[in-house]
Amino acid sequence: VSPLLGSGLGDFVTDAVDLQVQVDAIGLGAIFALMAVGIGLVFGVMRLVNFAYGQLIMAGAFALAYASERDWPVAAGIALCFVVVLALSLAMERVVFRPLRSQSAAVMLIATFAVSFLLQSIALLWFGPLGKTATSLVQLNRPVSVGGVDIRKITIVAIVTAAVCLGLLVLLLGRTSIGLHMRAAALDSSTARLLGVRANMVGVVSVLVAGALAALVAVMLTVQYPTVTPTFALQETILVLAGVVVGGMTRLVPATLGGFLIGYVSGLLGGALPSSQSQYLPSFLFGLVILVLLLRPDGLFTRSRGLVERV
Amino acid sequence: MRTARTAGELLAPATLVVATAILGAFVSQANEIYFVTALISVSTVVALYVFVGNSGVLSFGHVSFFAVGVWAAGVLSIPESEKPATMPYLFDFLSSTTVGNVASLAIAAAVGGVFALLVGLPLMRLSGLAAGIATFAVLGITNNVLRYYEKIGPGLNTFSSVPETTDLVQATIGAILVIAAAFAYQRSRIGRQLRATREDPAAARAVGVSIYRQRLVAFGLSGLLIGFAGGLYIHFIPINVDAVYLDLTFVTLAMLVIGGTTSLWGAVVGALFVSGLDSFVAEMEDGMTLLGQTVDLPSGSRIVVVSAIMALVLIVRPSGLTGGREFSVPRVSRKAAA
């Protein structure tokens, strides 16, 4: 059944090293990496796996669709997307995350699972199963030719955005006092609080940063998938969650790498699997996830313990 | 006193199930469907409880074992004459075999149990988040394969012509059997060993309990029971692959958490409470008169209500409606009896 067996191997490798496939895979990896940062940052500071992260992206995508259907200018649509996602993030933090802060990780995970379904079903009631269409940025799907390879503009946008955001985040965490507080809270929450770090404050900031990233991801995903349904970004979130755990959940850098890796591998397999087997792509990915978890349950990129920062 | 308490641990959930069944026997034919659904939910949630409740490890993968139970019972009990039309790509041995009611339920349980054991063999070495994600990955793979591999079932199509043998009586017997199995397990030596690992892994290991082996046993038993529940379900309602994925995972976990994860009583109470609520909202979606007011909720309100209640229970009462404790007679009446 595997494409890696028999005569398919040669084709598979040829397709996988194809420059076009590589570029698309890196583009997808960049978007997944941003989502991984959003999930990893909140986990680092609050020890909370936010299963509802995908629904933040979904809400942002619906905001974009709303603006697009009313022919708002692009900037206004993006602004609405940010407002909706950030407001929703704040509400989530205040109503769900904060009261549950002292609970076990399992309880918090199930709670965000519930929030995720709540938001999804509200969207279903509100917009119906067929959803809406966001078309104001589709021209970014047009390719530009670089050295014989057609690169869609959105791929370039995604890679640049991811690089800039990760750079800004490093500055925020390393060069500002709120970043220092966040790193302290991630390392040892109770000691940090004794030393005057305000737990609510760092929680709010991490949720806001994660929310801003979710809004960006919503903008970039709607370019590639203009049809926004209640299950928008659900599959991606599940994969990123798996990627984050595979990379190493407790530290931000491995978590981000894990997110990038699963996006990259997903893009690679999607481009290289023969069409008769492409429907089994999720099985291959999840199989790899299980394999890595069995071999390195603490994370793929956490070898140098103590050297990598925790937030 | 202690035997009375132990008996209550089994009798209270069983009584609640029988009471539900008796109530279901008196309502109209149209409403009976809610009661059968509720009783199958009891089987499903108690099966999930056997692993999650006793081990304290979260599993997102149990719906996979439910799904293979559905597939096994469904594919094997569709009449041979119907199979070529609805499932033309089926393996020969599947399309030429048809089994009866009891046999198909037993096979569903066996397939669920064996699959769970095979999956558990490597996965039970993991714990915490890695275990959660790995069981999720199993769910993803199972769903993906059942969805597209048409040699073992109907693929994307809905099961048709499965004999509808699960009625109020069978659903009740099924629920009682699963509850009895869960009770027997949690009172047994191995069940207690697993509960010890839940409370204090280090201490349990120190007295010679193998966490891996105990979790594996519970995982297998739990898979067997939930496979059986899947068999009951497909003999009740024709479903397709979408019915055994994320929504069902969420609803069964919600029932267990709302009831109280760590007790059999909690699993039963949670399943019946959420099923009742769900039926009530479903009726309101069709429009019903409540206190002289006509309430007509848009369809799709059910999952909104269930997830909102679940979030609320977690925030207000994180250990569930029963507090995760087994049934016990309130203190006052116990004093009066003494």
Side-chain angles (χ1 to χ4, degrees):
Chain A
V1 188
S2 163
L4 296 172
L5 297 175
S7 62
L9 182 65
D11 292 343
F12 182 81
V13 173
T14 323
D15 286 342
V17 295
D18 183 67
L19 214 51
Q20 186 74 57
V21 173
Q22 287 288 332
V23 169
D24 287 343
I26 292 174
L28 193 60
I31 293 183
F32 276 34
L34 285 180
M35 292 171 69
V37 173
I39 292 172
L41 193 65
V42 172
F43 181 81
V45 173
M46 303 178 125
R47 286 291 173 273
L48 176 140
V49 182
N50 189 4
F51 200 89
Y53 196 67
Q55 280 63 44
L56 290 177
I57 299 172
M58 179 266 288
F62 269 115
L64 289 166
Y66 180 91
S68 149
E69 285 185 351
R70 276 157 194 76
D71 287 325
W72 287 17
V74 175
I78 294 178
L80 181 70
C81 169
F82 270 83
V83 169
V84 166
V85 176
L86 290 179
L88 202 55
S89 303
L90 278 181
M92 227 189 253
E93 195 273 339
R94 194 69 193 83
V95 180
V96 185
F97 298 176
R98 201 176 289 186
L100 287 175
R101 197 162 49 203
S102 54
Q103 296 300 325
S104 72
V107 168
M108 292 197 286
L109 178 60
I110 298 184
T112 62
F113 206 39
V115 173
S116 144
F117 267 83
L118 183 63
L119 294 177
Q120 205 177 307
S121 46
I122 289 174
L124 189 66
L125 275 182
W126 202 339
F127 304 107
L130 296 178
K132 306 259 171 222
T133 325
T135 49
S136 40
L137 278 169
V138 280
Q139 69 274 15
L140 282 179
N141 270 325
R142 288 203 200 111
V144 284
S145 196
V146 180
V149 181
D150 285 340
I151 304 178
R152 288 180 305 160
K153 285 181 190 157
I154 183 63
T155 309
I156 303 171
V157 172
I159 295 171
V160 171
T161 310
V164 170
C165 286
L166 293 180
L168 286 176
L169 193 68
V170 167
L171 288 181
L172 174 76
L173 291 176
R175 292 272 182 263
T176 64
S177 65
I178 185 70
L180 183 69
H181 288 183
M182 286 164 79
R183 281 185 292 143
L187 205 61
D188 185 339
S189 175
S190 46
T191 310
R193 287 178 79 175
L194 280 176
L195 294 171
V197 170
R198 284 185 296 166
N200 287 342
M201 185 66 181
V202 289
V204 166
V205 172
S206 65
V207 163
L208 281 179
V209 173
L213 293 172
L216 277 176
V217 171
V219 173
M220 292 190 289
L221 276 182
T222 46
V223 174
Q224 306 186 39
Y225 313 104
T227 308
V228 183
T229 63
T231 54
F232 190 81
L234 179 67
Q235 189 70 29
E236 285 82 357
T237 310
I238 293 174
L239 283 179
V240 170
L241 269 175
V244 162
V245 174
V246 161
M249 186 104 204
T250 50
R251 284 143 205 272
L252 195 57
V253 173
T256 311
L257 284 176
F260 174 81
L261 187 70
I262 201 156
Y264 177 73
V265 171
S266 169
L268 219 56
L269 282 175
L273 276 182
S275 55
S276 63
Q277 266 143 21
S278 58
Q279 63 203 26
Y280 293 115
L281 172 67
S283 291
F284 287 112
L285 274 179
F286 283 129
L288 282 176
V289 165
I290 293 178
L291 197 68
V292 175
L293 284 177
L294 288 174
L295 295 176
R296 295 191 63 89
D298 289 328
L300 200 54
F301 305 116
T302 47
R303 208 167 308 183
S304 48
R305 265 168 193 258
L307 291 177
V308 192
E309 274 174 343
R310 216 164 173 181
V311 152
Chain B
M1 198 70 232
R2 241 175 106 197
T3 30
R5 198 119 143 247
T6 311
E9 223 176 288
L10 172 65
L11 289 180
T15 311
L16 201 56
V17 163
V18 172
T20 309
I22 292 173
L23 199 62
F26 284 105
V27 298
S28 66
Q29 199 70 35
N31 284 333
E32 198 184 300
I33 182 169
Y34 292 129
F35 287 84
V36 180
T37 313
L39 290 168
I40 298 174
S41 301
V42 169
S43 302
T44 315
V45 176
V46 169
L48 180 67
Y49 155 78
V50 167
F51 177 73
V52 175
N54 289 313
S55 73
V57 178
L58 213 52
S59 165
F60 291 105
H62 268 67
V63 166
S64 340
F65 315 134
F66 186 90
V68 295
V70 165
W71 249 242
V75 168
L76 286 176
S77 58
I78 293 174
E80 259 163 76
S81 53
E82 305 277 342
K83 282 185 190 177
T86 51
M87 300 178 288
Y89 308 104
L90 221 52
F91 279 119
D92 280 345
F93 74 96
L94 288 176
S95 62
S96 59
T97 320
T98 303
V99 298
N101 178 14
V102 177
S104 93
L105 292 179
I107 291 172
V111 172
V114 170
F115 186 36
L117 269 184
L118 288 178
V119 166
L121 226 42
L123 254 54
M124 288 300 109
R125 298 201 177 277
L126 300 172
S127 59
L129 277 174
I133 291 294
T135 52
F136 212 116
V138 170
L139 179 66
I141 293 175
T142 309
N143 188 268
N144 187 234
V145 170
L146 293 181
R147 184 178 297 261
Y148 294 112
Y149 197 47
E150 293 189 319
K151 287 185 177 174
I152 53 168
L156 271 167
N157 296 325
T158 302
F159 273 98
S160 61
S161 337
V162 180
E164 291 176 12
T165 48
T166 303
D167 52 8
L168 204 53
V169 177
Q170 283 210 13
T172 311
I173 296 175
I176 299 275
L177 282 177
V178 174
I179 289 173
F183 173 76
Y185 172 72
Q186 76 184 23
R187 303 297 302 183
S188 74
R189 188 182 142 81
I190 50 172
R192 285 171 196 275
Q193 288 189 350
L194 184 64
R195 290 166 87 85
T197 70
R198 179 190 77 195
E199 297 303 326
D200 192 335
R205 208 181 270 131
V207 293
V209 176
S210 159
I211 296 183
Y212 168 70
R213 196 175 308 152
Q214 295 311 333
R215 280 186 185 167
L216 183 60
V217 169
F219 202 66
L221 176 63
S222 179
L224 180 123
L225 296 174
I226 208 166
F228 172 72
L232 284 175
Y233 198 49
I234 190 61
H235 281 293
F236 171 57
I237 282 180
I239 52 171
N240 71 356
V241 69
D242 285 323
V244 288
Y245 195 32
L246 290 176
D247 286 19
L248 187 66
T249 303
F250 168 69
V251 170
T252 47
L253 270 177
M255 287 173 171
L256 185 58
V257 170
I258 288 173
T261 320
T262 50
S263 70
L264 178 57
W265 177 235
V268 175
V269 168
L272 289 176
F273 174 77
V274 176
S275 300
L277 191 76
D278 189 51
S279 316
F280 193 68
V281 182
E283 277 295 292
M284 285 205 277
E285 284 178 3
D286 295 339
M288 76 187 282
T289 314
L290 193 72
L291 305 171
Q293 301 265 313
T294 306
V295 186
D296 195 356
L297 294 176
S299 66
S301 307
R302 301 163 73 167
I303 207 131
V304 176
V305 172
V306 172
S307 44
I309 296 266
M310 180 171 172
L312 199 70
V313 166
L314 282 168
I315 293 166
V316 180
R317 220 179 139 84
S319 50
L321 292 176
T322 64
R325 278 186 288 276
E326 292 299 348
F327 176 81
S328 67
V329 187
R331 207 168 274 272
V332 187
S333 60
R334 227 190 294 162
K335 257 182 201 155

